[in-house]
Amino acid sequence: MQEINNLWNIVLEKLELSVSNVSFVMWFKPLKVVDMTENSTLFLSTKSTFAKNQILKNYFDKLKSATADVFGENVEIEILDPAEEAQYIAKNKPKTATLDVEANKNPFNPKYTFNNYVVGKCNQTAYAAARAVAEKPGKTFNPLFIYGGVGLGKTHLLHAIGNYIREASPKLKIKYVTCEQFTNDYIESLGSASKTKTYSEFRDKYRSCDVLMVDDIQFISKKTSTQEEFFNTFNDLHQYGKQIIISSDRPPKEIETLEERLRSRFTMGLIQDLQSPDFETRVAILRKKCQIEKYSITDEALSYIADKIDSNVRELEGMLSKVCFLSNLIGKTTADLNDVKEAFDDKYEEKNEGGANADQIISAVCEYFDISHADIVGKKKSKDIVEPRMIAIYMISEMLELPLVTIGKIFGGRDHTTIMHARDKITDEMKHNRKTQTFVSEIKKMLTSG
């Protein structure tokens, strides 16, 4: 089932770039894999009959295309509403057939190419390095280590390399995985009844490729056995001149509990970072997105978006998609400044989560981490209490913009320097710590759904 879900996540990544942000969140993101049968029928579940009908009516061709690109042309899709899902599970007891295709058969999004990558001062050296590696795999920079914050273009560069190599050197075998998938594959190879055979298959899977691309390598932190296996894989590939490309949200020296010998391997090639784009580059990114998606929007509106969102390319493009979608929804052919301002007003209203107050935020944090209100505002300093407390402080500061002194009073009379430290610590973690990002995102969902 893990392999199926890994492939499905790749399908979702492709769909996210082929439809508007609103359509993706509303119709595709909630889809879940129920079963994959031996005759290559993929059963998906939706959250409602209405959602099922909308997908079948308006988006099925896109869904079929993205799924075929990853699972293969022979895959069939069946969409189930909640009642049909329950009936199917009761009748079939799905076990999920073993796929007869290699995971990540074609994991590269066709929209992520070098031609579609907007180059500016923030990324020009990383772009040049990626291009050089794509043109001569294993001959120039090996390994190539690319790092940067969320939404700055790491995935785009990796996919661009993959797409270029697939076209220029189709005989080369490329393996693209996330660090999580590498870890899961390794664990699975050790958990089988026939460990020797399964481990041998794992080794062949990762050491027989010509190009190995690993996304989000920072998650190898604290995984001692996985680090050992990746070290051996790295050495084997590098010895035979195979290209290794790694991405992370931070440089090797800042990855916690990373073995020194592995850290040295990461630094033996070329390390390139991606910075937040400047204003001119942000405008250029928006123009390129308009060109690809055939969006129509005024220059004034584009400049406004680029001025307001200054750190995350994904958020920048998401706001553009939202503006154009809402504009088309009311019958306009070209989005203008008024449409953008209305979209930003909605964004800030969403940020306050429908008027959630401090008590509601604290209650949601307590429920999420299964701790008491007395503990989170009290004096306990154990890790299981301190982390939720800092997250609650950060969320109240971000969502309500209360004075630090006021927040301090809410948390048992703490002084403003303590509140500032907690806020700044989580603010920093939100830039690179996936776990913290998930905590905050899921708690916000609790507030909106409540």
Side-chain angles (χ1 to χ4, degrees):
M1 190 64 177
Q2 182 63 46
E3 183 185 12
I4 305 294
N5 285 326
N6 287 339
L7 289 170
W8 175 246
N9 286 335
I10 296 170
V11 174
L12 288 178
E13 289 177 2
K14 291 177 178 291
L15 286 167
E16 187 173 9
L17 291 168
S18 66
V19 300
S20 71
N21 185 56
V22 174
S23 297
F24 176 78
V25 171
M26 188 172 295
W27 310 123
F28 292 111
K29 193 174 182 179
L31 285 173
K32 304 295 181 185
V33 175
V34 176
D35 194 13
M36 180 85 175
T37 64
E38 293 181 355
N39 66 350
S40 296
T41 300
L42 181 66
F43 286 86
L44 303 172
S45 65
T46 62
K47 59 184 180 180
S48 67
T49 303
F50 179 74
K52 171 186 173 179
N53 292 336
Q54 285 295 310
I55 294 172
L56 292 175
K57 180 180 178 181
N58 300 312
Y59 302 102
F60 190 75
D61 287 345
K62 290 183 180 293
L63 175 61
K64 176 71 174 177
S65 176
T67 305
D69 197 26
V70 175
F71 284 89
E73 294 293 337
N74 295 326
V75 69
E76 297 294 333
I77 302 172
E78 291 288 341
I79 303 177
L80 309 175
D81 62 29
E84 292 168 337
E85 178 189 6
Q87 292 173 1
Y88 180 88
I89 292 175
K91 181 179 179 181
N92 296 278
K93 296 181 180 178
K95 298 179 181 179
T96 307
T98 301
L99 281 181
D100 192 28
V101 295
E102 180 186 357
N104 294 343
K105 177 182 178 183
N106 181 18
F108 304 114
N109 194 302
K111 290 186 179 181
Y112 282 164
T113 66
F114 287 123
N115 290 336
N116 289 339
Y117 193 82
V118 177
V119 182
K121 292 180 181 180
C122 58
N123 57 23
Q124 58 187 3
T125 55
Y127 171 84
R131 186 99 194 201
V133 165
E135 292 173 352
K136 295 182 179 180
K139 305 297 183 184
T140 50
F141 310 116
N142 198 16
L144 174 61
F145 192 106
I146 300 173
Y147 74 92
V150 175
L152 294 184
K154 299 187 298 296
T155 299
H156 190 144
L157 274 184
L158 263 63
H159 282 241
I161 294 172
N163 281 319
Y164 188 97
I165 294 175
R166 282 174 63 88
E167 183 174 345
S169 307
K171 292 184 179 180
L172 292 183
K173 184 177 180 182
I174 310 172
K175 187 69 183 172
Y176 172 85
V177 295
T178 62
C179 181
E180 181 183 13
Q181 185 177 339
F182 180 89
T183 302
N184 290 337
D185 285 349
Y186 175 58
I187 292 172
E188 187 175 336
S189 76
L190 300 178
S192 172
S194 176
K195 291 184 180 179
T196 303
K197 179 182 177 182
T198 308
Y199 179 67
S200 177
E201 292 173 347
F202 169 82
R203 284 168 55 96
D204 290 343
K205 180 178 182 179
Y206 283 97
R207 301 189 194 188
S208 63
C209 58
D210 299 295
V211 180
L212 176 62
M213 309 171 75
V214 183
D215 209 352
D216 288 330
I217 196 65
Q218 71 272 8
F219 291 117
I220 206 170
S221 172
K222 301 181 181 179
K223 298 179 175 70
T224 306
S225 296
T226 304
Q227 289 190 37
E228 173 76 22
E229 184 55 39
F230 189 75
F231 176 81
N232 293 330
T233 300
F234 184 106
N235 284 344
D236 193 73
L237 292 172
H238 197 272
Q239 177 183 352
Y240 291 102
K242 308 301 183 182
Q243 181 68 53
I244 303 164
I245 305 163
I246 300 167
S247 83
S248 174
D249 64 1
R250 70 202 77 168
K253 65 181 180 180
E254 294 181 12
I255 300 178
E256 299 175 358
T257 68
L258 183 66
E259 290 185 11
E260 192 56 39
R261 59 179 181 167
L262 196 53
R263 197 189 313 274
S264 69
R265 293 299 188 277
F266 291 166
T267 57
M268 67 191 294
L270 180 67
I271 300 176
Q272 288 294 313
D273 67 324
L274 295 170
Q275 301 291 333
S276 297
D278 56 26
F279 176 78
E280 290 78 13
T281 305
R282 295 197 299 273
V283 172
I285 290 170
L286 292 173
R287 291 190 189 282
K288 176 64 72 173
K289 181 74 172 178
C290 288
Q291 178 184 338
I292 293 171
E293 302 295 343
K294 296 181 172 55
Y295 291 150
S296 179
I297 184 170
T298 65
D299 290 342
E300 187 181 26
L302 282 182
S303 296
Y304 190 92
I305 296 174
D307 183 59
K308 289 292 184 180
I309 301 176
D310 59 3
S311 60
N312 188 310
V313 175
R314 196 172 298 155
E315 185 179 356
L316 191 71
E317 293 181 337
M319 177 55 73
L320 174 64
S321 298
K322 177 180 178 179
V323 168
C324 293
F325 173 78
L326 295 176
S327 174
N328 290 337
L329 204 61
I330 59 176
K332 297 175 68 173
T333 56
T334 300
D336 57 26
L337 184 59
N338 289 331
D339 299 316
V340 173
K341 289 183 176 180
E342 287 185 16
F344 270 97
D345 286 343
D346 290 343
K347 175 182 172 65
Y348 293 128
E349 287 175 10
E350 290 168 4
K351 183 177 178 181
N352 286 330
E353 309 300 344
N357 58 38
D359 284 340
Q360 290 170 329
I361 293 171
I362 291 174
S363 295
V365 172
C366 289
E367 181 182 349
Y368 185 83
F369 288 101
D370 193 24
I371 59 177
S372 70
H373 186 279
D375 283 341
I376 201 171
V377 301
K379 303 298 182 183
K380 286 187 178 181
K381 295 185 178 180
S382 57
K383 187 178 186 303
D384 62 324
I385 300 297
V386 171
E387 185 176 24
R389 181 184 294 142
M390 290 194 297
I391 287 175
I393 289 171
Y394 163 80
M395 293 184 67
I396 290 173
S397 175
E398 181 202 44
M399 295 165 61
L400 305 182
E401 299 180 355
L402 294 176
L404 297 177
V405 174
T406 302
I407 300 175
K409 291 179 181 178
I410 294 172
F411 285 87
R414 287 176 165 80
D415 62 61
H416 75 282
T417 57
T418 302
I419 301 300
M420 184 186 302
H421 170 75
R423 180 200 63 190
D424 293 347
K425 180 175 175 59
I426 301 300
T427 298
D428 182 62
E429 288 192 7
M430 286 292 290
K431 297 176 182 177
H432 58 72
N433 190 316
R434 184 70 61 84
K435 184 176 72 171
T436 303
Q437 294 168 1
T438 300
F439 287 161
V440 172
S441 175
E442 291 181 348
I443 292 168
K444 285 185 176 181
K445 288 179 182 177
M446 291 170 60
L447 289 165
T448 56
S449 62

